[in-house]
Amino acid sequence: EGSKATLGVTHFAQEELGEVVYIDLPEVDAEIVAGEDYGTVESVKATSSLVAPVGGKVSEVNAEVEENTGLINESPEDKAWLCKLENVQVPNEGLMTREEYDAYLESEA
């Protein structure tokens, strides 16, 4: 608790989505709960919920992504962060480190 986090879409997820055409993000000061939907992303393939891996209060939303959803496909893990949280609550289990996530993707390929 008391920490900060940045939420976004992974490179793998944006590849699965295809071309993103619309995104619905939470408002600043909204409370996000780990494991629950905090927004929606629409692509040419499907509409998907954005599920929060951690909880917290939204301190900032990336307006650039709302105006140019193509950033999600161009730079998903850099310029296309979705929102920033403060007072983050991390679940006791279920989160992967970056290394664990990369290994998981390799094992699924």
Side-chain angles (χ1 to χ4, degrees), residues 41-79:
V41 62
E42 290 183 25
S43 71
V44 294
K45 291 182 180 179
T47 298
S48 302
S49 294
L50 297 166
V51 179
V54 297
K57 183 177 180 180
V58 177
S59 60
E60 190 176 351
V61 174
N62 190 344
E64 192 174 353
V65 166
E66 290 181 308
E67 294 172 15
N68 178 10
T69 57
L71 277 177
I72 294 171
N73 297 111
E74 295 165 18
S75 182
E77 296 180 11
D78 185 28
K79 294 179 184 174

Side-chain angles (χ1 to χ4, degrees), residues 17-29:
L17 283 167
E19 181 184 350
V20 176
V21 295
Y22 176 78
I23 191 149
D24 178 39
L25 297 175
E27 299 288 324
V28 170
D29 293 330

